[in-house]
Amino acid sequence: MRCWFALLGLMTVAGARAQGTPPIIWSIDAHVWRVQDIDFSPDGSELVTAGEDKSIKFWDAETGALRRQLTGLGFPVGTARYSPDGRLIASAHFVHEGLEIQNDHAIRIWRAGDLSLVATLLGHTSDVQAVAFSPDGSMIAGAGRDGTLRTWRTGDWLPAGSVSVSQFQWPTMDVEYLPDGRILTLDFSGEFKLFTAHLEPLATIPTSLHSVFSSMVITPDGRCATAVAFGQAAFLNLETLQHVVKSTVISQCYSATASPKGEVIFGGLGGQQEIESWNHRTAVRNRMWDGVTGSSDFVFGSSFRPGTSDFAYGTFRGKLIMAKSSAGLFKKTPQP
């Protein structure tokens, strides 16, 4: 899920910056304007990026070379995700709050190989904030700014169900499948909601987060979820449904990604630091660093490469960077 509000506080990133960046493997100018979303193919050989410049691009994970692209898509692209078998890509557009931009609120399905259009999924009445494939690839879910969660079957691309996530019609900001097929959503008010695969409600977990413009991530083992917002992160244990909220140094968090070993990385607008690394299971911050070089830029989408400590992140100015998180070059940061 990608942020949908108008630009805030860009000038705050100019000025003094922290020394040190994550060990960079490669860095390229990927999009004309911000990198909204990043996802790796299941085998880790390539990654897809969604750009505000109305494009979807595919990159070689080893070298950063551009492999293929979809351009001129009519509207900024807010999300792009691989299917579990890597053969399909689901994408959706977005709109910035307060800007007069309209789109058809559709989820589009593309073949990852030749980029041919497979299906157009309709039903949402406002922007699609996030999409997710079920672990077996048989279903796809969409989270809508209209406050709904909708699912479709991938066998025939017909609607499977829909449910209103928030009684106050807060936008549904993110959606993820758990390994067992259950569905977790996050809405603008900071509430997690857990559903069965058939959209039957299981639990509602309110947090103290507010104005959640950003994203949620679930660890690969399905045991924990994290949501990030303005200066805060909520760590949810999916076995006990208990959570804890911690303060972040990043003032505006826009993305979160989790490694197989339980490390979660936040990216956003932080002034001197734009990336934080946390232990997902203990909710303790490990380290933080400056993710970009130069002024007037900050971190947006991010994703771990499957089975590795490498992670990719994008920036507001359209850079795509592959880095390592495991090297001992990061300044340890005491807990608040």
Side-chain angles (χ1 to χ4, degrees):
M1 196 291 308
R2 304 319 107 201
C3 168
W4 50 268
F5 63 97
L7 308 183
L8 293 175
L10 180 58
M11 294 306 294
T12 64
V13 300
R17 307 182 72 85
Q19 296 298 312
T21 59
I24 293 175
I25 300 171
W26 50 258
S27 175
I28 58 173
D29 293 322
H31 291 269
V32 176
W33 211 239
R34 80 176 125 190
V35 180
Q36 288 286 115
D37 196 15
I38 299 173
D39 194 30
F40 278 93
S41 61
D43 65 3
S45 65
E46 72 173 16
L47 59 159
V48 63
T49 56
E52 192 171 356
D53 57 5
K54 307 176 185 178
S55 71
I56 300 171
K57 297 184 179 183
F58 297 79
W59 311 90
D60 185 286
E62 292 294 331
T63 66
L66 179 64
R67 288 184 169 181
R68 57 200 181 282
Q69 60 184 324
L70 283 164
T71 59
L73 295 178
F75 302 97
V77 186
T79 186
R81 293 299 164 105
Y82 284 95
S83 61
D85 62 8
R87 296 180 180 179
L88 300 173
I89 294 290
S91 71
H93 299 292
F94 80 107
V95 62
H96 283 307
E97 178 72 359
L99 299 184
E100 300 301 324
I101 301 175
Q102 300 295 324
N103 64 65
D104 58 8
H105 317 311
I107 298 171
R108 286 180 169 78
I109 309 298
W110 313 87
R111 285 192 178 87
D114 62 10
L115 302 186
S116 58
L117 182 63
V118 174
T120 301
L121 310 182
L122 300 173
H124 285 289
T125 59
S126 189
D127 298 330
V128 179
Q129 297 293 134
V131 297
F133 283 96
S134 64
D136 64 2
S138 66
M139 303 288 290
I140 187 171
R145 190 177 163 196
D146 57 9
T148 65
L149 167 64
R150 297 178 183 271
T151 58
W152 293 261
R153 299 190 298 264
T154 61
D156 53 19
W157 302 111
L158 292 177
S162 66
V163 63
S164 178
V165 173
S166 171
Q167 61 178 321
F168 302 109
Q169 295 186 321
W170 290 113
T172 308
M173 303 306 295
D174 210 347
V175 59
E176 297 286 353
Y177 276 91
L178 275 64
D180 61 10
R182 290 179 296 166
I183 302 173
L184 188 69
T185 64
L186 175 70
D187 69 28
F188 182 77
S189 70
E191 280 191 345
F192 292 104
K193 287 198 174 179
L194 190 62
F195 297 88
T196 69
H198 301 291
L199 305 189
E200 298 160 340
L202 293 174
T204 297
I205 305 101
T207 72
S208 60
L209 301 184
H210 62 281
S211 300
V212 180
F213 294 103
S214 195
S215 63
M216 170 181 68
V217 64
I218 296 175
T219 51
D221 62 10
R223 295 176 59 189
C224 304
T226 296
V228 292
F230 285 119
Q232 290 184 313
F235 296 85
L236 172 66
N237 184 318
L238 286 165
E239 296 175 335
T240 66
L241 299 186
Q242 300 298 308
H243 75 280
V244 60
V245 174
K246 293 294 187 73
S247 296
T248 64
V249 175
I250 299 173
S251 59
Q252 297 173 23
C253 291
Y254 297 140
S255 68
T257 181
S259 77
K261 294 184 178 181
E263 179 183 16
V264 62
I265 284 178
F266 306 148
L269 174 61
Q272 293 187 344
Q273 293 90 20
E274 295 88 8
I275 300 176
E276 295 185 26
S277 168
W278 289 68
N279 184 313
H280 208 308
R281 296 181 179 91
T282 62
V284 173
R285 184 168 52 235
N286 297 322
R287 56 187 73 95
M288 52 192 293
W289 64 92
D290 188 354
V292 295
T293 57
S295 62
S296 301
D297 203 359
F298 53 90
V299 173
F300 246 72
S302 61
S303 182
F304 266 97
R305 189 177 184 183
T308 76
S309 63
D310 301 345
F311 70 102
Y313 61 97
T315 78
F316 178 83
R317 297 293 181 186
K319 287 188 176 297
L320 176 62
I321 299 166
M322 180 78 82
K324 287 186 176 294
S325 67
S326 59
L329 301 179
F330 311 114
K331 180 181 178 181
K332 294 291 183 178
T333 306
Q335 287 299 293

